[in-house]
Amino acid sequence: MKDTEKSQGSEGKEIALILTGTLPEISGNFDACKAFYEAELKRYEGVIDAEKVAEAKKDVAKLRAELKRLDRIRIDEATRLKAPISAMETKVKELTGLIQKTADGILAQVKKFEDETREHCRVLMEVDLARNYETLEVRSEYQTGKGMIPGLVGLSCVTKSGFLTKSARESIEGLAQQGRIAQDRRDGRLVKLEAESLKAGLASAIN
């Protein structure tokens, strides 16, 4: 047997798995044995009466012994004939095992790279977020964007040089701006309340 597709290797190399050999054709004197048994078994036909019970039980024991003998021959011969097939399967499985091991190793390296890239991205985003908070002068109580970073982390957020992409930086800047907007909104309400309190003649503003 020959596989229809060749395995492509590096530098133009290729190979096809070729299996030679034919399935065994089992021959034997089956017809002669069948005729023998059919003739012999006719002796056991008939009605069993009280006089024949003991003899019938002996006949059953004899027939069962013959069954076991034929089964043993069948099993032994089948095992012998299956041996080359089992050997072939073992050798092919060795080949597939080599391929699977390599594929698993590649996947493990890919996973390691992706995990490390995501972690690197997370650290860069946290550093960039802190820098943006400092630039926008966002107070600590409004610096809540860190919890949003895990949802932004992705392999596409880091360039080949290991820096955040433009879109990733813009997303981080947006988180910092949200904090500044919330801070300004709160500060604006306080200013308004203070003005209203002073207008009403209160000694201090109502917070």
Side-chain angles (χ1 to χ4, degrees):
M1 177 182 176
K2 179 178 179 181
D3 57 351
T4 56
E5 295 185 7
K6 293 184 177 181
S7 300
Q8 301 297 326
S10 60
E11 300 179 355
K13 296 178 180 179
E14 59 182 21
I15 193 169
L17 176 62
I18 301 174
L19 303 178
T20 58
T22 57
L23 291 175
E25 181 179 349
I26 312 301
S27 59
N29 60 336
F30 299 112
D31 291 339
C33 288
K34 181 179 180 181
F36 171 83
Y37 286 122
E38 285 178 342
E40 286 294 311
L41 293 174
K42 285 183 178 180
R43 296 193 303 106
Y44 302 105
E45 295 178 358
V47 179
I48 303 298
D49 55 26
E51 294 181 357
K52 296 181 179 179
V53 169
E55 188 65 24
K57 289 182 178 179
K58 292 180 180 180
D59 291 339
V60 170
K62 181 179 178 181
L63 292 173
R64 285 178 174 172
E66 188 67 9
L67 285 174
K68 289 182 180 179
R69 188 182 72 82
L70 291 177
D71 264 347
R72 185 174 64 253
I73 293 174
R74 174 183 61 80
I75 293 171
D76 290 347
E77 190 65 9
T79 301
R80 182 183 70 83
L81 295 173
K82 288 177 182 177
I85 296 176
S86 298
M88 177 274 296
E89 289 183 331
T90 298
K91 291 177 180 178
V92 174
K93 286 180 179 179
E94 182 179 4
L95 297 178
T96 59
L98 289 172
I99 296 171
Q100 186 63 56
K101 181 179 179 181
T102 301
D104 291 343
I106 293 172
L107 285 176
Q109 292 181 51
V110 169
K111 184 179 184 301
K112 179 182 179 182
F113 169 77
E114 291 181 343
D115 289 345
E116 290 177 348
T117 300
R118 290 189 185 94
E119 177 61 17
H120 180 61
C121 177
R122 183 190 64 78
V123 172
L124 290 178
M125 284 184 168
E126 289 184 358
V127 171
D128 199 50
L129 180 61
R131 182 183 60 79
N132 274 277
Y133 278 143
E134 183 178 358
T135 300
L136 296 175
E137 298 181 344
V138 179
R139 297 191 296 274
S140 60
E141 60 267 33
Y142 297 99
Q143 296 181 13
T144 59
K146 187 176 180 179
M148 304 290 291
I149 286 181
L152 298 176
V153 169
L155 299 175
S156 61
C157 294
V158 180
T159 66
K160 292 182 179 180
S161 301
F163 300 102
L164 288 177
T165 61
K166 182 174 182 291
S167 61
R169 294 196 306 274
E170 289 174 346
S171 296
I172 295 301
E173 184 179 351
L175 291 179
Q177 289 175 345
Q178 289 176 17
R180 180 57 196 240
I181 290 171
Q183 176 178 292
D184 289 346
R185 186 180 295 118
R186 171 65 174 172
D187 290 348
R189 286 199 298 268
L190 291 177
V191 170
K192 183 179 179 181
L193 284 173
E194 182 177 6
E196 292 176 351
S197 298
L198 293 175
K199 184 177 180 180
L202 297 177
S204 61
I206 300 176
N207 294 327

